[in-house]
Amino acid sequence: MAVDELDTRILRLLIEQPRTSVREYARILGVARGTVQARIDRLERDGVITATGPVLSPAALGHPVLAFVHVEVTQGHLDEVGDALAAVPEIVEAFSITGGGDLLTRVVARDAGHLEDVIQRLIRLPGVVRTRTEIALRERVPHRLLPLVEAVGRRPGTS
């Protein structure tokens, strides 16, 4: 899907001012409201925009500990383990990966003891062979997509 300069400007506004109305986006951009809405609809339909809503802080929800847990799975049990991981509320993301392990999970916890409890729960899941945990000390680059959006919008042949 080609993202042009107007799409990039719209995406920037959606990221930087998510609670603003389409009418106000149109005013800021100097284009018709219908144009902005049509572009947003197309970006959603094409899977560029995958969700809307607030971004929540696990730390503010009482879970300041962030860990990345690598999960090694018995061959042939990846789907079952993945389904079981979805039932653990402290797992906020999980990915199939290559390299050291089969799954990489992002886990949040109230404290170190709670993290240990979550890891013990993972170890007891049928199909889990072992886990390896890395605790995040400090976020150095927060989750962001605006630099990527801007780089894609500057690609030759995208306008």
Coordinates of all heavy atoms in Angstrom, one line a residue, residues 32-124:
A32 N -10.6 19.1 2.4 CA -12.0 18.8 2.8 C -12.1 17.7 3.8 O -11.3 16.8 3.8 CB -12.7 18.4 1.5
R33 N -13.1 17.8 4.7 CA -13.3 16.8 5.7 C -13.5 15.5 5.1 O -13.0 14.4 5.6 CB -14.5 17.2 6.6 CG -14.7 16.3 7.8 CD -16.1 16.3 8.3 NE -17.0 15.7 7.4 CZ -17.2 14.4 7.1 NH1 -16.4 13.5 7.7 NH2 -18.1 14.1 6.3
G34 N -14.3 15.4 4.0 CA -14.5 14.2 3.3 C -13.3 13.5 2.8 O -13.1 12.3 2.8
T35 N -12.3 14.3 2.4 CA -11.0 13.8 1.9 C -10.3 13.1 3.0 O -9.8 12.0 2.9 CB -10.1 14.9 1.3 OG1 -10.8 15.5 0.2 CG2 -8.8 14.4 0.8
V36 N -10.2 13.8 4.2 CA -9.5 13.2 5.3 C -10.2 11.9 5.8 O -9.6 10.9 6.0 CB -9.5 14.2 6.5 CG1 -8.9 13.6 7.8 CG2 -8.7 15.5 6.1
Q37 N -11.6 12.0 5.8 CA -12.3 10.8 6.3 C -12.1 9.6 5.3 O -11.8 8.5 5.7 CB -13.8 11.0 6.4 CG -14.5 9.9 7.0 CD -14.1 9.6 8.4 OE1 -14.2 10.4 9.3 NE2 -13.6 8.4 8.6
A38 N -12.1 9.9 4.0 CA -11.8 8.9 3.0 C -10.4 8.3 3.1 O -10.3 7.1 3.0 CB -12.1 9.4 1.6
R39 N -9.5 9.1 3.4 CA -8.1 8.7 3.5 C -8.0 7.8 4.8 O -7.4 6.7 4.7 CB -7.1 9.8 3.6 CG -6.9 10.6 2.4 CD -6.2 9.9 1.3 NE -5.9 10.7 0.2 CZ -4.7 11.0 -0.2 NH1 -3.6 10.7 0.5 NH2 -4.5 11.8 -1.3
I40 N -8.6 8.2 5.9 CA -8.5 7.4 7.1 C -9.2 6.1 6.9 O -8.7 5.0 7.3 CB -9.2 8.2 8.3 CG1 -8.3 9.4 8.7 CG2 -9.4 7.2 9.5 CD1 -8.9 10.3 9.7
D41 N -10.4 6.1 6.2 CA -11.1 4.8 5.9 C -10.2 3.9 5.1 O -10.1 2.7 5.4 CB -12.4 5.1 5.2 CG -13.4 5.8 6.1 OD1 -13.3 5.8 7.3 OD2 -14.4 6.3 5.5
R42 N -9.5 4.4 4.1 CA -8.6 3.6 3.2 C -7.5 3.1 4.0 O -7.1 1.9 3.9 CB -8.1 4.4 2.0 CG -7.2 3.6 1.1 CD -6.7 4.3 -0.1 NE -6.1 5.6 0.2 CZ -4.9 5.8 0.6 NH1 -4.1 4.8 0.8 NH2 -4.4 7.0 0.9
L43 N -6.9 3.9 4.9 CA -5.7 3.4 5.7 C -6.2 2.3 6.7 O -5.4 1.4 6.9 CB -5.1 4.6 6.5 CG -4.4 5.7 5.6 CD1 -4.2 6.9 6.4 CD2 -3.1 5.1 5.1
E44 N -7.4 2.4 7.2 CA -7.9 1.3 8.0 C -8.2 0.1 7.2 O -7.8 -1.0 7.6 CB -9.2 1.8 8.7 CG -9.0 2.8 9.8 CD -10.3 3.3 10.4 OE1 -11.4 3.2 9.8 OE2 -10.2 4.0 11.5
R45 N -8.8 0.2 6.1 CA -9.2 -0.9 5.2 C -7.9 -1.6 4.7 O -7.9 -2.8 4.6 CB -10.0 -0.4 4.0 CG -10.8 -1.4 3.2 CD -11.7 -0.8 2.2 NE -11.1 0.3 1.4 CZ -11.4 1.6 1.5 NH1 -12.3 2.0 2.4 NH2 -10.8 2.5 0.7
D46 N -6.8 -0.8 4.4 CA -5.6 -1.4 4.0 C -4.7 -2.0 5.1 O -3.6 -2.5 4.8 CB -4.8 -0.4 3.1 CG -5.5 -0.1 1.8 OD1 -6.4 -0.8 1.4 OD2 -5.1 0.9 1.2
G47 N -5.1 -1.8 6.3 CA -4.4 -2.4 7.5 C -3.2 -1.5 7.9 O -2.4 -1.9 8.8
V48 N -3.1 -0.2 7.5 CA -2.1 0.7 8.0 C -2.5 1.1 9.4 O -1.7 1.1 10.3 CB -1.9 1.9 7.0 CG1 -1.0 2.9 7.6 CG2 -1.5 1.4 5.7
I49 N -3.7 1.5 9.6 CA -4.3 1.8 10.9 C -4.9 0.5 11.4 O -5.9 0.1 10.8 CB -5.3 3.0 10.8 CG1 -4.6 4.3 10.3 CG2 -5.9 3.2 12.2 CD1 -5.6 5.4 10.0
T50 N -4.4 0.0 12.5 CA -4.9 -1.3 13.0 C -5.8 -1.2 14.2 O -6.4 -2.1 14.6 CB -3.8 -2.2 13.2 OG1 -2.9 -1.7 14.2 CG2 -3.0 -2.6 12.0
A51 N -5.7 0.0 14.9 CA -6.5 0.1 16.1 C -6.6 1.6 16.4 O -5.8 2.4 16.0 CB -5.8 -0.6 17.3
T52 N -7.6 1.9 17.2 CA -7.8 3.3 17.8 C -8.1 3.1 19.2 O -8.6 2.1 19.7 CB -8.9 4.1 17.1 OG1 -10.1 3.3 17.2 CG2 -8.6 4.3 15.6
G53 N -7.8 4.1 20.0 CA -8.1 4.0 21.4 C -6.9 4.4 22.2 O -5.8 4.7 21.7
P54 N -7.0 4.5 23.5 CA -5.9 4.9 24.4 C -4.8 3.9 24.5 O -5.0 2.7 24.3 CB -6.6 5.1 25.8 CG -7.7 4.1 25.7 CD -8.2 4.1 24.3
V55 N -3.6 4.4 24.7 CA -2.4 3.6 25.0 C -2.3 3.6 26.5 O -2.2 4.7 27.1 CB -1.2 4.1 24.3 CG1 0.0 3.3 24.7 CG2 -1.3 4.2 22.8
L56 N -2.4 2.4 27.1 CA -2.4 2.3 28.5 C -1.0 2.0 29.1 O -0.1 1.4 28.4 CB -3.3 1.2 29.0 CG -4.7 1.3 28.4 CD1 -5.6 0.1 28.9 CD2 -5.4 2.6 28.9
S57 N -0.7 2.5 30.3 CA 0.6 2.3 31.0 C 0.4 1.1 32.0 O -0.3 1.3 33.0 CB 1.0 3.5 31.7 OG 2.0 3.2 32.6
P58 N 1.1 0.0 31.7 CA 1.1 -1.1 32.7 C 1.6 -0.6 34.1 O 1.0 -1.0 35.1 CB 2.0 -2.2 32.1 CG 1.9 -1.9 30.7 CD 1.8 -0.4 30.5
A59 N 2.6 0.3 34.1 CA 3.1 0.8 35.4 C 2.0 1.5 36.2 O 1.9 1.3 37.4 CB 4.3 1.7 35.1
A60 N 1.3 2.4 35.5 CA 0.2 3.1 36.1 C -0.9 2.2 36.6 O -1.7 2.6 37.5 CB -0.3 4.2 35.2
L61 N -1.0 1.0 36.0 CA -2.0 0.0 36.4 C -1.4 -0.9 37.5 O -2.0 -1.9 37.8 CB -2.4 -0.8 35.2 CG -3.2 -0.1 34.1 CD1 -3.4 -0.9 32.9 CD2 -4.6 0.3 34.7
G62 N -0.3 -0.5 38.1 CA 0.3 -1.3 39.2 C 1.2 -2.4 38.7 O 1.5 -3.2 39.6
H63 N 1.7 -2.4 37.5 CA 2.6 -3.4 37.0 C 3.9 -2.8 36.4 O 4.0 -2.7 35.2 CB 1.9 -4.3 36.0 CG 0.9 -5.2 36.5 ND1 -0.3 -4.7 37.1 CD2 0.8 -6.5 36.7 CE1 -1.0 -5.7 37.5 NE2 -0.4 -6.8 37.3
P64 N 4.7 -2.2 37.2 CA 5.9 -1.5 36.7 C 7.1 -2.3 36.2 O 8.0 -1.8 35.6 CB 6.3 -0.6 37.9 CG 5.9 -1.5 39.1 CD 4.7 -2.1 38.7
V65 N 7.0 -3.6 36.5 CA 8.1 -4.5 36.1 C 7.8 -5.0 34.7 O 6.8 -5.5 34.5 CB 8.3 -5.7 37.1 CG1 9.4 -6.6 36.6 CG2 8.7 -5.2 38.5
L66 N 8.8 -4.8 33.8 CA 8.7 -5.3 32.4 C 9.8 -6.3 32.2 O 10.9 -6.1 32.5 CB 8.8 -4.2 31.4 CG 8.9 -4.6 30.0 CD1 7.7 -5.3 29.5 CD2 9.2 -3.3 29.1
A67 N 9.4 -7.5 31.7 CA 10.4 -8.5 31.4 C 10.0 -9.1 30.0 O 8.9 -9.1 29.6 CB 10.3 -9.6 32.4
F68 N 11.1 -9.6 29.4 CA 10.9 -10.4 28.1 C 11.2 -11.8 28.4 O 12.3 -12.1 28.9 CB 11.8 -9.8 27.0 CG 11.5 -8.3 26.7 CD1 12.2 -7.3 27.4 CD2 10.5 -8.0 25.8 CE1 11.9 -6.0 27.1 CE2 10.2 -6.7 25.6 CZ 10.9 -5.7 26.2
V69 N 10.3 -12.7 28.2 CA 10.5 -14.1 28.5 C 10.5 -14.9 27.2 O 9.5 -14.9 26.5 CB 9.4 -14.6 29.5 CG1 9.6 -16.1 29.8 CG2 9.3 -13.8 30.8
H70 N 11.6 -15.5 27.0 CA 11.7 -16.5 25.9 C 11.2 -17.8 26.3 O 11.5 -18.3 27.4 CB 13.2 -16.6 25.5 CG 13.8 -15.3 25.0 ND1 14.0 -15.0 23.7 CD2 14.3 -14.3 25.7 CE1 14.6 -13.9 23.6 NE2 14.8 -13.4 24.8
V71 N 10.4 -18.4 25.5 CA 9.7 -19.7 25.8 C 10.1 -20.7 24.8 O 9.9 -20.5 23.6 CB 8.2 -19.5 25.9 CG1 7.5 -20.9 26.3 CG2 7.8 -18.4 26.9
E72 N 10.7 -21.8 25.2 CA 11.0 -22.9 24.3 C 9.9 -23.9 24.4 O 9.5 -24.3 25.5 CB 12.4 -23.5 24.7 CG 12.9 -24.6 23.8 CD 14.2 -25.1 24.1 OE1 15.1 -24.3 24.7 OE2 14.4 -26.3 23.9
V73 N 9.4 -24.4 23.3 CA 8.2 -25.2 23.2 C 8.6 -26.5 22.6 O 9.4 -26.6 21.7 CB 7.2 -24.5 22.3 CG1 5.9 -25.3 22.2 CG2 6.8 -23.1 22.9
T74 N 7.9 -27.6 23.2 CA 8.1 -28.9 22.6 C 7.6 -28.9 21.1 O 6.6 -28.3 20.8 CB 7.2 -29.9 23.3 OG1 7.5 -29.9 24.7 CG2 7.3 -31.3 22.8
Q75 N 8.4 -29.5 20.2 CA 8.1 -29.5 18.8 C 6.6 -29.9 18.6 O 6.2 -30.9 19.1 CB 9.1 -30.4 18.1 CG 9.1 -30.1 16.6 CD 10.3 -30.7 15.9 OE1 11.0 -31.6 16.5 NE2 10.5 -30.4 14.7
G76 N 5.9 -29.2 17.7 CA 4.6 -29.5 17.4 C 3.5 -28.9 18.3 O 2.3 -29.2 18.2
H77 N 3.9 -28.2 19.4 CA 3.0 -27.7 20.4 C 2.9 -26.1 20.4 O 2.4 -25.5 21.3 CB 3.3 -28.2 21.8 CG 3.1 -29.6 21.9 ND1 3.9 -30.6 21.5 CD2 2.0 -30.3 22.4 CE1 3.4 -31.8 21.8 NE2 2.2 -31.6 22.3
L78 N 3.4 -25.5 19.3 CA 3.5 -24.0 19.3 C 2.1 -23.4 19.4 O 1.9 -22.5 20.2 CB 4.2 -23.6 18.1 CG 4.6 -22.1 18.0 CD1 5.6 -21.8 19.2 CD2 5.3 -21.8 16.7
D79 N 1.1 -23.9 18.7 CA -0.2 -23.3 18.7 C -0.9 -23.5 20.1 O -1.5 -22.5 20.6 CB -1.1 -23.9 17.6 CG -0.7 -23.5 16.2 OD1 -0.1 -22.4 16.1 OD2 -1.1 -24.2 15.3
E80 N -0.7 -24.6 20.7 CA -1.4 -24.9 22.0 C -0.7 -24.0 23.1 O -1.4 -23.4 23.9 CB -1.2 -26.3 22.5 CG -1.9 -27.3 21.6 CD -1.0 -27.8 20.5 OE1 0.0 -28.3 20.7 OE2 -1.5 -27.7 19.3
V81 N 0.6 -23.8 23.0 CA 1.2 -23.0 24.0 C 0.9 -21.5 23.8 O 0.6 -20.8 24.7 CB 2.8 -23.2 24.0 CG1 3.5 -22.1 24.8 CG2 3.1 -24.6 24.4
G82 N 0.8 -21.1 22.5 CA 0.4 -19.8 22.2 C -1.0 -19.5 22.7 O -1.3 -18.4 23.3
D83 N -1.9 -20.4 22.5 CA -3.3 -20.2 23.1 C -3.3 -20.1 24.6 O -4.0 -19.3 25.2 CB -4.2 -21.4 22.6 CG -4.5 -21.4 21.1 OD1 -4.3 -20.3 20.5 OD2 -4.9 -22.4 20.6
A84 N -2.5 -20.9 25.2 CA -2.4 -20.9 26.7 C -1.8 -19.6 27.2 O -2.2 -19.0 28.2 CB -1.5 -22.1 27.2
L85 N -0.8 -19.0 26.4 CA -0.2 -17.7 26.8 C -1.3 -16.6 26.8 O -1.2 -15.7 27.6 CB 0.9 -17.4 25.9 CG 2.2 -18.3 25.9 CD1 3.2 -17.8 24.9 CD2 2.8 -18.3 27.3
A86 N -2.2 -16.7 25.8 CA -3.2 -15.7 25.7 C -4.1 -15.7 27.0 O -4.8 -14.7 27.2 CB -4.1 -16.0 24.5
A87 N -4.1 -16.7 27.8 CA -5.0 -16.7 29.0 C -4.2 -16.2 30.2 O -4.8 -16.1 31.3 CB -5.4 -18.2 29.3
V88 N -3.0 -15.7 30.0 CA -2.2 -15.2 31.1 C -2.3 -13.6 31.0 O -1.7 -13.1 30.1 CB -0.7 -15.7 31.1 CG1 0.1 -15.0 32.2 CG2 -0.7 -17.2 31.1
P89 N -3.0 -13.0 31.9 CA -3.2 -11.5 31.7 C -1.9 -10.7 31.8 O -1.9 -9.6 31.2 CB -4.1 -11.1 32.9 CG -4.2 -12.3 33.8 CD -3.7 -13.5 33.1
E90 N -0.9 -11.2 32.4 CA 0.3 -10.4 32.5 C 1.2 -10.5 31.2 O 2.1 -9.7 31.1 CB 1.2 -10.9 33.7 CG 0.6 -10.7 35.1 CD -0.4 -11.8 35.5 OE1 -0.7 -12.7 34.7 OE2 -0.9 -11.7 36.6
I91 N 0.8 -11.3 30.3 CA 1.5 -11.4 29.0 C 0.8 -10.4 28.1 O -0.4 -10.6 27.8 CB 1.5 -12.8 28.4 CG1 2.3 -13.7 29.3 CG2 2.0 -12.8 27.0 CD1 2.3 -15.2 28.8
V92 N 1.5 -9.3 27.8 CA 0.8 -8.3 27.0 C 1.1 -8.4 25.5 O 0.4 -7.8 24.7 CB 1.2 -6.9 27.5 CG1 0.6 -6.6 28.9 CG2 2.7 -6.6 27.5
E93 N 2.1 -9.2 25.1 CA 2.4 -9.5 23.7 C 3.2 -10.8 23.7 O 3.9 -11.2 24.6 CB 3.4 -8.5 23.1 CG 2.7 -7.1 22.9 CD 3.7 -6.2 22.2 OE1 4.8 -5.9 22.8 OE2 3.4 -5.8 21.1
A94 N 3.0 -11.5 22.6 CA 3.8 -12.8 22.4 C 4.0 -12.9 20.9 O 3.1 -12.7 20.1 CB 3.1 -14.0 22.9
F95 N 5.2 -13.3 20.5 CA 5.6 -13.5 19.1 C 6.3 -14.8 18.9 O 7.1 -15.3 19.7 CB 6.6 -12.4 18.7 CG 6.0 -11.0 18.8 CD1 6.2 -10.3 20.0 CD2 5.3 -10.4 17.8 CE1 5.8 -9.0 20.2 CE2 4.8 -9.1 18.0 CZ 5.1 -8.4 19.2
S96 N 6.0 -15.5 17.8 CA 6.8 -16.6 17.3 C 8.1 -16.0 16.8 O 8.1 -15.0 16.1 CB 6.2 -17.4 16.2 OG 4.9 -17.9 16.6
I97 N 9.3 -16.6 17.2 CA 10.6 -16.1 16.8 C 11.5 -17.1 16.2 O 11.2 -18.3 16.4 CB 11.2 -15.3 18.0 CG1 11.5 -16.3 19.1 CG2 10.4 -14.1 18.4 CD1 12.4 -15.7 20.2
T98 N 12.6 -16.7 15.6 CA 13.7 -17.6 15.3 C 14.8 -17.3 16.3 O 14.7 -16.4 17.1 CB 14.2 -17.2 13.9 OG1 14.8 -15.9 13.9 CG2 13.2 -17.4 12.8
G99 N 15.7 -18.2 16.4 CA 16.8 -18.0 17.3 C 16.6 -18.7 18.6 O 16.1 -19.8 18.6
G100 N 17.0 -18.1 19.7 CA 17.0 -18.7 21.0 C 15.6 -18.8 21.6 O 15.2 -18.0 22.4
G101 N 14.9 -19.8 21.3 CA 13.5 -20.0 21.8 C 12.5 -20.0 20.6 O 12.9 -19.8 19.5
D102 N 11.3 -20.3 21.0 CA 10.3 -20.4 20.0 C 9.3 -19.2 20.1 O 8.7 -18.8 19.1 CB 9.5 -21.7 20.2 CG 10.4 -22.9 20.0 OD1 11.0 -23.1 18.9 OD2 10.5 -23.7 21.0
L103 N 9.1 -18.7 21.3 CA 8.2 -17.6 21.5 C 8.9 -16.5 22.3 O 9.7 -16.9 23.2 CB 7.0 -18.1 22.3 CG 6.0 -19.0 21.5 CD1 5.1 -19.7 22.5 CD2 5.2 -18.3 20.5
L104 N 8.6 -15.3 22.1 CA 9.1 -14.2 22.9 C 7.9 -13.5 23.4 O 7.0 -13.1 22.7 CB 10.0 -13.2 22.1 CG 10.4 -12.0 22.8 CD1 11.4 -12.4 24.0 CD2 11.1 -11.0 21.8
T105 N 7.8 -13.4 24.8 CA 6.7 -12.7 25.4 C 7.1 -11.5 26.1 O 8.2 -11.4 26.6 CB 6.0 -13.7 26.4 OG1 6.9 -13.9 27.5 CG2 5.5 -14.9 25.8
R106 N 6.2 -10.5 26.1 CA 6.4 -9.3 26.9 C 5.5 -9.4 28.1 O 4.3 -9.5 28.0 CB 6.1 -8.1 26.1 CG 6.4 -6.8 26.7 CD 6.2 -5.6 25.7 NE 6.1 -4.4 26.4 CZ 5.2 -3.4 26.1 NH1 4.4 -3.6 25.1 NH2 5.2 -2.3 26.8
V107 N 6.1 -9.4 29.3 CA 5.4 -9.7 30.5 C 5.5 -8.5 31.5 O 6.6 -8.0 31.6 CB 6.0 -11.0 31.2 CG1 5.3 -11.3 32.5 CG2 5.9 -12.2 30.3
V108 N 4.4 -8.2 32.1 CA 4.4 -7.1 33.1 C 4.0 -7.7 34.4 O 3.3 -8.7 34.5 CB 3.5 -5.9 32.7 CG1 3.9 -5.2 31.5 CG2 2.0 -6.4 32.6
A109 N 4.6 -7.1 35.5 CA 4.3 -7.7 36.8 C 4.4 -6.5 37.9 O 4.9 -5.5 37.6 CB 5.4 -8.7 37.2
R110 N 3.8 -6.8 39.0 CA 3.7 -5.9 40.1 C 5.1 -5.7 40.8 O 5.5 -4.6 41.2 CB 2.7 -6.3 41.2 CG 1.3 -6.3 40.7 CD 0.3 -6.6 41.9 NE 0.6 -7.9 42.5 CZ 0.1 -9.1 42.0 NH1 -0.7 -9.1 41.0 NH2 0.4 -10.2 42.6
D111 N 5.9 -6.8 40.9 CA 7.2 -6.7 41.5 C 7.9 -8.0 41.1 O 7.4 -8.8 40.4 CB 7.1 -6.6 43.0 CG 6.2 -7.7 43.7 OD1 6.2 -8.8 43.2 OD2 5.4 -7.3 44.6
A112 N 9.1 -8.2 41.6 CA 9.9 -9.4 41.3 C 9.3 -10.7 41.7 O 9.3 -11.7 40.9 CB 11.3 -9.3 41.9
G113 N 8.6 -10.7 42.8 CA 7.9 -11.9 43.3 C 6.8 -12.3 42.4 O 6.6 -13.5 42.0
H114 N 6.0 -11.3 42.0 CA 4.9 -11.5 41.0 C 5.4 -12.0 39.7 O 4.9 -12.9 39.1 CB 4.1 -10.2 40.9 CG 2.9 -10.4 40.0 ND1 2.5 -9.4 39.1 CD2 2.0 -11.4 39.8 CE1 1.5 -9.8 38.5 NE2 1.1 -11.0 38.9
L115 N 6.6 -11.4 39.2 CA 7.2 -11.9 38.0 C 7.5 -13.4 38.1 O 7.3 -14.2 37.2 CB 8.4 -11.1 37.6 CG 9.1 -11.5 36.4 CD1 8.2 -11.5 35.1 CD2 10.4 -10.6 36.2
E116 N 8.1 -13.8 39.2 CA 8.5 -15.2 39.4 C 7.2 -16.1 39.4 O 7.3 -17.1 38.7 CB 9.2 -15.4 40.7 CG 9.6 -16.8 40.9 CD 10.3 -17.1 42.3 OE1 10.2 -16.2 43.2 OE2 10.8 -18.2 42.4
D117 N 6.1 -15.6 40.0 CA 4.9 -16.4 39.9 C 4.4 -16.6 38.5 O 4.0 -17.6 38.1 CB 3.8 -15.7 40.7 CG 4.1 -15.7 42.2 OD1 5.0 -16.4 42.7 OD2 3.5 -14.8 42.9
V118 N 4.5 -15.5 37.7 CA 4.1 -15.6 36.3 C 4.9 -16.6 35.5 O 4.5 -17.4 34.8 CB 4.1 -14.2 35.6 CG1 3.8 -14.3 34.1 CG2 3.1 -13.3 36.3
I119 N 6.2 -16.5 35.7 CA 7.2 -17.4 35.1 C 6.9 -18.8 35.5 O 6.9 -19.7 34.6 CB 8.6 -17.0 35.3 CG1 8.9 -15.6 34.7 CG2 9.6 -18.1 34.8 CD1 10.2 -15.0 35.2
Q120 N 6.7 -19.1 36.7 CA 6.3 -20.4 37.2 C 5.1 -20.9 36.5 O 5.0 -22.1 36.2 CB 6.2 -20.5 38.7 CG 7.5 -20.3 39.5 CD 8.6 -21.3 39.1 OE1 8.2 -22.5 39.0 NE2 9.8 -20.9 38.9
R121 N 4.1 -20.0 36.4 CA 2.9 -20.4 35.7 C 3.2 -20.8 34.2 O 2.6 -21.8 33.7 CB 1.9 -19.3 35.7 CG 0.6 -19.6 35.0 CD -0.4 -18.4 35.2 NE -1.7 -18.7 34.4 CZ -2.7 -17.9 34.3 NH1 -2.6 -16.7 34.9 NH2 -3.7 -18.2 33.6
L122 N 4.1 -20.1 33.6 CA 4.5 -20.4 32.2 C 5.2 -21.8 32.1 O 4.9 -22.6 31.2 CB 5.4 -19.3 31.6 CG 4.8 -17.9 31.5 CD1 5.8 -17.0 30.9 CD2 3.5 -17.9 30.8
I123 N 6.1 -22.0 33.1 CA 6.8 -23.3 33.1 C 5.9 -24.5 33.2 O 6.2 -25.5 32.6 CB 7.9 -23.2 34.2 CG1 9.0 -22.2 33.8 CG2 8.5 -24.6 34.4 CD1 9.9 -21.9 35.0
R124 N 4.8 -24.3 33.9 CA 3.9 -25.4 34.1 C 2.9 -25.7 33.0 O 2.2 -26.7 32.9 CB 3.1 -25.2 35.4 CG 3.9 -25.3 36.7 CD 3.0 -25.3 37.9 NE 2.2 -24.1 38.1 CZ 2.7 -23.0 38.8 NH1 3.9 -23.1 39.3 NH2 1.9 -22.0 38.9

